[in-house]
Amino acid sequence: MTDTQHTSGTDGGDAVVSAFNAVGADHIFCSSGSEWAPVWESLARHHRDGIPCPDYLDLTHETVAVGMATGYGLLARRPQGVLLHAAPGLLQGSMAVHGALLAGVPMVVASSESTTYGDGPGPDPGGQWYRNLSIVGGPHGVARPFTKWSNEAASVHTLPAMITRAAELSWRAPAGPAYLNIPLEILLEEWDGRESGPVVAPGSTHSSPEEVDLVAQLMRGAVNPVIVTETAGRETGGFEALVALAEAWSIPVVEPDSAVCANFPRTHPLHAGSDIGPWMDEADLILLVNCRAPFYPPSRHPAEAKVVVIDEVPQRPHVVHQVLFADRYLEGDVANTLRQLTKRAKELDETVVSARRAAQEQRHAAEQAAVAAAESGAAEAEGIDPVLVAASLRRLLDGRNGIVVDETITHSRVVKRHLQTSEPDSYFYVQGGLGQGIAVALGVKLAAPERPVALTIGDGAFTYNPVIPSYDASKAYELPLLIVVFNNRVYKSMNLNHRRFYPDGAAAETGEWLGTDLHRLPRLAAFAEPFGLHTETVDTPDALAPALERALKAVTGGTTAVVDVLVTR
């Protein structure tokens, strides 16, 4: 039997805190586990002695911890620390870690195992590691498929440098989570105090001037070019650089349904909507800017267009199947590449440029008229149409520099189309499996405390979220959100697929639609009441705008507000 007492001093817990401090992490997001006592002790000493250290957030669910780190990283764009519990905590949080990988958010995720099971010298790690916490191959084996890099810290003396390396790897393109398994015995081992160096921002890589010149020549000769982007706005300065490029060359910009952030102002006359379909046969040049999966199905080849891919890492290693049909690549810092192409917008055929700009302005005017008509129709409809909800939210946030985090499925196109976002970092779509939206929105709020943050979410997605731990985090850390639930009382996307696959099947004949009914759920807003949050349930159109206004007033006053809107479809 080993000793259970441990002398307070400098150990692996101090090494962890020192390393996260050195790499510039603002926060450590922790879903508690018994291995993290050394870190907690180190933080307590830092606080007692007034020594700087990252802010610590004590969270009660793994998805909340990782999701908040994801939301924070979407705006901060630098690695934070996430501590989970052993293999079970890592498995519980794995969906959110995978979501961070898809979202391109840097972070260092750590959890633990035991290497002695009580038979080594020093403090007793506890029998739970021997009986049910450990996993064959170690948790770093579990993390490997859904992280950029996964490894084990084998010594307390190399631990700080391992955390530094994980942070550096997570920050480099393509950014994403790195994982480190830190055995409990390493955390409890005496540390000699050697610290790791700070992590500096990654250096940028650029395409050569000759490569950019060749693409500019293609652009100069194109009559009907188009830009397609999914995540240009995720890069620092990418939103502004894309606007400048499109304006200089008068090229329309498509944000397909797969776009996951604000990339280009939807109110801009060069915004060409979300459907790449019409351009597949008409375009003679397609510029794919940070666009991982532009064509669906993947074999859908553009008819005549040359394809130029502009992306720092065009072939995403975490994407299982990716087809770009590229004729030319410009690899390197995306914003810099766009700026270089903007500078080359010279000697253009003004007749051609004027004609395509006029054609695009006409298309954009038609789209804006269609948006207005849809909103007018929704305002006059019986019941609450989802279009009315999105339009009302847009009017509510107008002029307030708000941010919308979206975790809708059935209504995602409606939300994007009618929010009409026009600023960078104003819209983010939650990546990966459903159930992370509240946590991601909380992380966004943590990064932008002065801006109102709204979460749009379906009732199905809402039920996947760890609601109680999320509300606890909102309350504990004073992170007020406006949560708007598009509640149609059904898993609509599941039902639509069932009908699509089996239009004349047994379910269509009998009306027995399995896996879709949510009518049995109680009032979704009521879950917020025990936490003293503001709640509204809305079922009539004339009650919607006043309810949203009351909710935003509560949020402005520091209280999360949940508005459960019973929509008609």
Side-chain angles (χ1 to χ4, degrees):
M1 179 69 179
T2 53
D3 297 332
T4 58
Q5 297 295 315
H6 184 55
T7 304
S8 178
T10 303
D11 57 18
D14 292 292
V16 170
V17 173
S18 171
F20 276 124
N21 202 45
V23 303
D26 302 312
H27 303 283
I28 295 175
F29 301 86
C30 180
S31 176
S32 298
S34 55
E35 66 263 51
W36 298 121
V39 170
W40 298 333
E41 180 65 18
S42 176
L43 288 168
R45 285 197 295 271
H46 279 72
H47 297 158
R48 180 195 65 190
D49 299 336
I51 302 173
C53 60
D55 290 333
Y56 174 85
L57 288 88
D58 207 352
L59 306 163
T60 53
H61 196 283
E62 292 84 357
T63 298
V64 177
V66 181
M68 287 186 65
T70 299
Y72 188 87
L74 286 170
L75 272 72
R77 297 180 172 92
R78 59 182 185 277
Q80 306 299 308
V82 179
L83 306 182
L84 305 179
H85 177 42
L90 176 63
L91 288 166
Q92 179 72 32
S94 60
M95 179 187 70
V97 177
H98 181 246
L101 181 69
L102 295 177
V105 172
M107 64 180 67
V108 178
V109 180
S111 71
S112 195
E113 65 177 338
S114 175
T115 55
T116 65
Y117 304 104
D119 278 335
D124 183 1
Q128 72 273 19
W129 297 94
Y130 180 53
R131 288 189 289 268
N132 60 15
L133 283 185
S134 297
I135 192 166
V136 175
H140 48 293
V142 173
R144 193 163 291 123
F146 51 85
T147 56
K148 275 189 66 179
W149 178 84
S150 178
N151 210 339
E152 176 185 9
S155 166
V156 71
H157 305 299
T158 59
L159 176 57
M162 291 284 277
I163 291 175
T164 296
R165 174 164 166 74
E168 289 176 330
L169 284 166
S170 77
W171 207 355
R172 264 63 184 176
Y179 173 81
L180 192 60
N181 168 22
I182 311 175
L184 179 53
E185 288 82 353
I186 300 296
L187 288 167
L188 291 167
E189 190 175 343
E190 184 178 347
W191 176 48
D192 61 11
R194 72 181 77 177
E195 296 185 358
S196 58
V199 174
V200 298
S204 60
T205 58
H206 297 184
S207 293
S208 70
E210 293 78 12
E211 292 172 316
V212 178
D213 285 340
L214 287 173
V215 172
Q217 185 176 343
L218 288 174
M219 296 169 66
R220 201 170 287 114
V223 174
N224 198 22
V226 65
I227 297 167
V228 184
T229 184
E230 293 176 335
T231 61
R234 190 176 64 191
E235 312 300 329
T236 302
F239 187 102
E240 296 87 348
L242 184 58
V243 172
L245 174 75
E247 290 180 341
W249 291 85
S250 290
I251 298 179
V253 177
V254 173
E255 287 185 287
D257 291 332
S258 51
V260 299
C261 61
N263 301 293
F264 195 84
R266 285 189 170 259
T267 53
H268 196 290
L270 287 173
H271 195 285
S274 60
D275 186 6
I276 191 177
W279 300 92
M280 295 294 285
D281 295 326
E282 299 173 9
D284 54 0
L285 177 65
I286 298 177
L287 302 175
L288 299 180
V289 181
N290 264 31
C291 203
R292 64 181 187 256
F295 311 119
Y296 188 84
S299 59
R300 189 186 185 197
H301 196 290
E304 301 291 340
K306 293 283 186 182
V307 176
V308 175
V309 174
I310 301 173
D311 200 319
E312 190 163 7
V313 184
Q315 300 296 338
R316 306 291 169 85
H318 61 269
V319 175
V320 175
H321 184 53
Q322 187 183 21
V323 180
L324 298 174
F325 296 117
D327 293 291
R328 189 169 295 279
Y329 289 102
L330 288 181
E331 299 183 39
D333 181 86
V334 168
N336 178 271
T337 301
L338 298 179
R339 287 191 286 266
Q340 293 307 311
L341 287 171
T342 300
K343 291 178 181 178
R344 287 162 170 79
K346 301 174 182 177
E347 301 177 4
L348 307 184
D349 187 327
E350 291 301 328
T351 301
V352 171
V353 170
S354 297
R356 72 170 174 247
R357 184 172 186 108
Q360 171 52 34
E361 289 177 348
Q362 187 176 6
R363 285 189 293 265
H364 184 263
E367 165 62 10
Q368 292 299 98
V371 167
E375 293 180 2
S376 178
E380 297 173 1
E382 283 192 32
I384 304 176
D385 190 277
V387 168
L388 180 64
V389 183
S392 298
L393 182 59
R394 181 191 72 235
R395 288 190 284 267
L396 182 74
L397 296 177
D398 185 39
R400 297 178 185 268
N401 195 26
I403 304 173
V404 174
V405 177
D406 186 18
E407 198 178 27
T408 60
I409 298 294
T410 304
H411 303 115
S412 61
R413 293 179 182 178
V414 168
V415 170
K416 288 180 183 178
R417 189 185 192 204
H418 293 276
L419 275 180
Q420 298 281 291
T421 52
S422 59
E423 299 295 332
D425 290 342
S426 58
Y427 172 86
F428 297 102
Y429 190 79
V430 177
Q431 294 291 279
L434 293 176
Q436 309 170 63
I438 306 177
V440 172
L442 288 169
V444 168
K445 183 64 178 179
L446 183 66
E450 74 289 350
R451 299 176 66 181
V453 177
L455 171 68
T456 52
I457 187 169
D459 51 329
F462 184 90
T463 61
Y464 283 129
N465 274 257
V467 174
I468 291 174
S470 298
Y471 287 167
D472 171 65
S474 172
K475 188 88 170 179
Y477 296 104
E478 298 180 347
L479 300 170
L481 302 176
L482 171 58
I483 300 175
V484 181
V485 183
F486 287 66
N487 188 347
N488 57 11
R489 284 80 73 201
V490 65
Y491 280 122
K492 191 66 173 289
S493 62
M494 282 79 151
N495 185 255
L496 290 174
N497 273 337
H498 192 157
R499 292 174 184 271
R500 181 162 61 93
F501 297 145
Y502 303 98
D504 301 315
E509 180 183 346
T510 64
E512 184 183 11
W513 300 106
L514 302 177
T516 64
D517 186 20
L518 294 177
H519 280 87
R520 65 181 182 269
L521 292 178
R523 274 197 313 122
L524 298 184
F527 289 97
E529 291 172 0
F531 292 89
L533 308 182
H534 181 91
T535 67
E536 300 263 3
T537 299
V538 185
D539 59 3
T540 60
D542 58 348
L544 177 60
L548 289 174
E549 289 169 4
R550 289 191 296 270
L552 183 59
K553 183 177 180 180
V555 171
T556 304
T559 301
T560 284
V562 183
V563 184
D564 183 17
V565 186
L566 306 185
V567 294
T568 55
R569 59 184 175 95

